[in-house]
Amino acid sequence: MKYIWATSLALMMILAGCTSDANQETETKDSDSKEVEQEETQEDNNKDAGKDSVKDKEEPKEKTDDDASKDSEEADEETSEDKIDETKQEKNQDNGSSGTDEDKQTDQAKDETDQKQVPADLTSQEAKAVVNEYKQVFFDVIKNTDDNLMIKDYSSLQQIEEEFKTAMSQSLTDEFMSYYIRQENGKLYVVPSSAPSFLNPDQPVSIERINDTTSHVIQNQSDEMEGNSKVNYIVVHDGTQWVVDDIQTTYIQEDSAETKQVAEEQAIQAVRNHLGIKSSDDRVKVQIDHEESGKYLVHVYELVKQDGTSHTATMGWYYVDKKTGKVTDMMNP
C-alpha cells in the first residue's frame, strides 16, 4: 500500500514537473513570440517612420525646386518687363526728339510764312487805288439795270457775291448783299438806297498802319447836303491783296455863324490880296458864291454903269482852301 502511494506520489510529481516544464516552454514560446512580434512591429514602425522621414525630406526639396522655378520665371518676367519699359522709353525719347525737331521745323516754316505774308506799307497812290477799285466793282454790279432796277449782267447771287469779293472783304460783301441786292422770283434787283462813301480823287488822303494786315485810309470830305465829314476806309490784306473791309464816317460839327463869317471874310481878303484889289475900290465886288470839297468858291466881278443902267462883268472865279487859305484860279488851276 505504501508502495502504491509512494509510486502515485512520485508519478504525480513527475506529471507536475512535466506540466510546469510545459507551461514554462509555453510561456517561453509565448514570450519569444511576443518579442518577435514586438520587434517586427518596431521594425514596421521604423520603416514607416523612415518613409515619413524620407517623405518629409523629399517634400521640402520638391517645394524648394518649385519655388526656385517660380522665382526664375518671375525674374525672367521682370527682366522682360524692364526690357519692354526700356524699349518704350527709348521709343518715346526718339519720338520726342523727332517730334521736337518736327515742331521746330513747323514753327520755323510758319514764322517764315508769316514773314512772307506781311505786306508792305501802302503808299498814298496804292491806297487810293484800293478804295477806287471797291467803287468800280460796286458800280459794275448795279449800273446795268432796266427801268424796274432788275440787274441784267448777273444771273445769281453767288456771281454778285464773288464780284464784290474781288475788292471787298467777306464781311463788307455780306453787308452790301443784304443792303443793295434783293432776289425775287428768281430775278435780281438793286434796292434803291443811298450810295456808300467814295474817295474824292482831288483830295489828299492820310494812311495809318494799324497792324500787319490792317490800315486806315482817311480823307476829309465836304458835301452841301451832308456837310463836312471824316471818312475812314478800313482796308485789310487777305493774303493776296488789299481789300476794303469797312467804311466809317464821322460828321464834323458845323462852325458857328460867327466863326463862319470870319472864315468867309478871310477868304474874300485872300482873293483881294491875290488880285491886288484895294478895299476902297467900290467898283470891284468880291463875294462868296458857295462851298465845295472844303473850299470857298469866290466870284470876282465889276459893277458897270452905263446910260442910267448897270450890269456886272465877271473878272474871275477863285477857289480858297478853307484850311490853308490858298487861292487858285478855277479857270486856270
Side-chain angles (χ1 to χ4, degrees), residues 125-138:
Q125 184 177 359
E126 290 171 342
K128 284 186 174 182
V130 170
V131 181
N132 286 332
E133 180 64 19
Y134 128 85
K135 174 183 178 181
Q136 185 63 44
V137 168
F138 176 78

PDB file of all heavy atoms in Angstrom, residues 125-138:
ATOM      1  N   GLN A 125      -0.806 156.540-103.295  1.00  0.00           N
ATOM      2  CA  GLN A 125      -1.342 156.130-104.596  1.00  0.00           C
ATOM      3  C   GLN A 125      -1.960 154.748-104.525  1.00  0.00           C
ATOM      4  O   GLN A 125      -3.046 154.499-105.071  1.00  0.00           O
ATOM      5  CB  GLN A 125      -0.232 156.176-105.651  1.00  0.00           C
ATOM      6  CG  GLN A 125      -0.709 155.867-107.064  1.00  0.00           C
ATOM      7  CD  GLN A 125       0.415 155.988-108.087  1.00  0.00           C
ATOM      8  OE1 GLN A 125       1.548 156.332-107.734  1.00  0.00           O
ATOM      9  NE2 GLN A 125       0.103 155.730-109.348  1.00  0.00           N
ATOM     10  N   GLU A 126      -1.284 153.836-103.836  1.00  0.00           N
ATOM     11  CA  GLU A 126      -1.814 152.475-103.698  1.00  0.00           C
ATOM     12  C   GLU A 126      -3.108 152.461-102.882  1.00  0.00           C
ATOM     13  O   GLU A 126      -4.046 151.731-103.215  1.00  0.00           O
ATOM     14  CB  GLU A 126      -0.768 151.585-103.035  1.00  0.00           C
ATOM     15  CG  GLU A 126       0.442 151.291-103.899  1.00  0.00           C
ATOM     16  CD  GLU A 126       1.545 150.596-103.138  1.00  0.00           C
ATOM     17  OE1 GLU A 126       1.532 150.648-101.881  1.00  0.00           O
ATOM     18  OE2 GLU A 126       2.428 149.995-103.786  1.00  0.00           O
ATOM     19  N   ALA A 127      -3.154 153.258-101.838  1.00  0.00           N
ATOM     20  CA  ALA A 127      -4.358 153.317-101.004  1.00  0.00           C
ATOM     21  C   ALA A 127      -5.549 153.822-101.804  1.00  0.00           C
ATOM     22  O   ALA A 127      -6.661 153.272-101.714  1.00  0.00           O
ATOM     23  CB  ALA A 127      -4.106 154.210 -99.792  1.00  0.00           C
ATOM     24  N   LYS A 128      -5.323 154.868-102.593  1.00  0.00           N
ATOM     25  CA  LYS A 128      -6.408 155.385-103.424  1.00  0.00           C
ATOM     26  C   LYS A 128      -6.864 154.340-104.444  1.00  0.00           C
ATOM     27  O   LYS A 128      -8.062 154.208-104.724  1.00  0.00           O
ATOM     28  CB  LYS A 128      -5.960 156.658-104.142  1.00  0.00           C
ATOM     29  CG  LYS A 128      -5.914 157.893-103.253  1.00  0.00           C
ATOM     30  CD  LYS A 128      -5.601 159.138-104.071  1.00  0.00           C
ATOM     31  CE  LYS A 128      -5.690 160.398-103.243  1.00  0.00           C
ATOM     32  NZ  LYS A 128      -5.442 161.627-104.037  1.00  0.00           N
ATOM     33  N   ALA A 129      -5.913 153.590-104.997  1.00  0.00           N
ATOM     34  CA  ALA A 129      -6.261 152.566-105.982  1.00  0.00           C
ATOM     35  C   ALA A 129      -7.130 151.478-105.361  1.00  0.00           C
ATOM     36  O   ALA A 129      -8.080 150.983-105.990  1.00  0.00           O
ATOM     37  CB  ALA A 129      -4.992 151.959-106.577  1.00  0.00           C
ATOM     38  N   VAL A 130      -6.829 151.081-104.115  1.00  0.00           N
ATOM     39  CA  VAL A 130      -7.616 150.051-103.431  1.00  0.00           C
ATOM     40  C   VAL A 130      -9.054 150.518-103.232  1.00  0.00           C
ATOM     41  O   VAL A 130     -10.024 149.798-103.523  1.00  0.00           O
ATOM     42  CB  VAL A 130      -6.972 149.686-102.074  1.00  0.00           C
ATOM     43  CG1 VAL A 130      -7.911 148.797-101.260  1.00  0.00           C
ATOM     44  CG2 VAL A 130      -5.635 148.989-102.284  1.00  0.00           C
ATOM     45  N   VAL A 131      -9.219 151.756-102.744  1.00  0.00           N
ATOM     46  CA  VAL A 131     -10.569 152.274-102.474  1.00  0.00           C
ATOM     47  C   VAL A 131     -11.322 152.547-103.772  1.00  0.00           C
ATOM     48  O   VAL A 131     -12.539 152.318-103.866  1.00  0.00           O
ATOM     49  CB  VAL A 131     -10.476 153.542-101.599  1.00  0.00           C
ATOM     50  CG1 VAL A 131     -11.882 154.063-101.299  1.00  0.00           C
ATOM     51  CG2 VAL A 131      -9.745 153.243-100.294  1.00  0.00           C
ATOM     52  N   ASN A 132     -10.628 153.023-104.788  1.00  0.00           N
ATOM     53  CA  ASN A 132     -11.286 153.254-106.074  1.00  0.00           C
ATOM     54  C   ASN A 132     -11.719 151.952-106.740  1.00  0.00           C
ATOM     55  O   ASN A 132     -12.726 151.924-107.459  1.00  0.00           O
ATOM     56  CB  ASN A 132     -10.352 154.035-107.009  1.00  0.00           C
ATOM     57  CG  ASN A 132     -10.220 155.501-106.617  1.00  0.00           C
ATOM     58  OD1 ASN A 132     -11.139 156.076-106.027  1.00  0.00           O
ATOM     59  ND2 ASN A 132      -9.081 156.105-106.931  1.00  0.00           N
ATOM     60  N   GLU A 133     -10.966 150.880-106.518  1.00  0.00           N
ATOM     61  CA  GLU A 133     -11.354 149.579-107.068  1.00  0.00           C
ATOM     62  C   GLU A 133     -12.663 149.093-106.443  1.00  0.00           C
ATOM     63  O   GLU A 133     -13.526 148.545-107.123  1.00  0.00           O
ATOM     64  CB  GLU A 133     -10.240 148.559-106.809  1.00  0.00           C
ATOM     65  CG  GLU A 133     -10.524 147.158-107.326  1.00  0.00           C
ATOM     66  CD  GLU A 133     -10.653 147.091-108.840  1.00  0.00           C
ATOM     67  OE1 GLU A 133     -10.181 148.032-109.518  1.00  0.00           O
ATOM     68  OE2 GLU A 133     -11.210 146.089-109.344  1.00  0.00           O
ATOM     69  N   TYR A 134     -12.816 149.328-105.145  1.00  0.00           N
ATOM     70  CA  TYR A 134     -14.070 148.973-104.478  1.00  0.00           C
ATOM     71  C   TYR A 134     -15.246 149.762-105.082  1.00  0.00           C
ATOM     72  O   TYR A 134     -16.347 149.230-105.288  1.00  0.00           O
ATOM     73  CB  TYR A 134     -13.909 149.201-102.973  1.00  0.00           C
ATOM     74  CG  TYR A 134     -14.954 150.039-102.292  1.00  0.00           C
ATOM     75  CD1 TYR A 134     -16.147 149.487-101.845  1.00  0.00           C
ATOM     76  CD2 TYR A 134     -14.731 151.400-102.075  1.00  0.00           C
ATOM     77  CE1 TYR A 134     -17.096 150.278-101.203  1.00  0.00           C
ATOM     78  CE2 TYR A 134     -15.665 152.181-101.437  1.00  0.00           C
ATOM     79  CZ  TYR A 134     -16.849 151.617-101.005  1.00  0.00           C
ATOM     80  OH  TYR A 134     -17.786 152.384-100.370  1.00  0.00           O
ATOM     81  N   LYS A 135     -15.020 151.025-105.402  1.00  0.00           N
ATOM     82  CA  LYS A 135     -16.048 151.839-106.044  1.00  0.00           C
ATOM     83  C   LYS A 135     -16.393 151.287-107.429  1.00  0.00           C
ATOM     84  O   LYS A 135     -17.575 151.171-107.799  1.00  0.00           O
ATOM     85  CB  LYS A 135     -15.568 153.288-106.155  1.00  0.00           C
ATOM     86  CG  LYS A 135     -16.493 154.203-106.936  1.00  0.00           C
ATOM     87  CD  LYS A 135     -15.889 155.596-107.057  1.00  0.00           C
ATOM     88  CE  LYS A 135     -16.779 156.521-107.882  1.00  0.00           C
ATOM     89  NZ  LYS A 135     -16.185 157.878-108.025  1.00  0.00           N
ATOM     90  N   GLN A 136     -15.363 150.942-108.186  1.00  0.00           N
ATOM     91  CA  GLN A 136     -15.586 150.443-109.540  1.00  0.00           C
ATOM     92  C   GLN A 136     -16.364 149.132-109.533  1.00  0.00           C
ATOM     93  O   GLN A 136     -17.296 148.943-110.326  1.00  0.00           O
ATOM     94  CB  GLN A 136     -14.230 150.237-110.239  1.00  0.00           C
ATOM     95  CG  GLN A 136     -14.336 149.821-111.693  1.00  0.00           C
ATOM     96  CD  GLN A 136     -15.001 150.876-112.559  1.00  0.00           C
ATOM     97  OE1 GLN A 136     -14.693 152.064-112.441  1.00  0.00           O
ATOM     98  NE2 GLN A 136     -15.926 150.457-113.411  1.00  0.00           N
ATOM     99  N   VAL A 137     -16.022 148.244-108.640  1.00  0.00           N
ATOM    100  CA  VAL A 137     -16.727 146.956-108.554  1.00  0.00           C
ATOM    101  C   VAL A 137     -18.182 147.164-108.168  1.00  0.00           C
ATOM    102  O   VAL A 137     -19.094 146.510-108.712  1.00  0.00           O
ATOM    103  CB  VAL A 137     -16.015 146.034-107.535  1.00  0.00           C
ATOM    104  CG1 VAL A 137     -16.877 144.822-107.194  1.00  0.00           C
ATOM    105  CG2 VAL A 137     -14.672 145.581-108.087  1.00  0.00           C
ATOM    106  N   PHE A 138     -18.427 148.082-107.245  1.00  0.00           N
ATOM    107  CA  PHE A 138     -19.804 148.356-106.819  1.00  0.00           C
ATOM    108  C   PHE A 138     -20.652 148.814-108.003  1.00  0.00           C
ATOM    109  O   PHE A 138     -21.757 148.307-108.232  1.00  0.00           O
ATOM    110  CB  PHE A 138     -19.805 149.415-105.721  1.00  0.00           C
ATOM    111  CG  PHE A 138     -21.168 149.840-105.282  1.00  0.00           C
ATOM    112  CD1 PHE A 138     -21.919 149.048-104.425  1.00  0.00           C
ATOM    113  CD2 PHE A 138     -21.713 151.041-105.719  1.00  0.00           C
ATOM    114  CE1 PHE A 138     -23.199 149.440-104.024  1.00  0.00           C
ATOM    115  CE2 PHE A 138     -22.969 151.442-105.323  1.00  0.00           C
ATOM    116  CZ  PHE A 138     -23.721 150.636-104.470  1.00  0.00           C
TER     117      PHE A 138
END
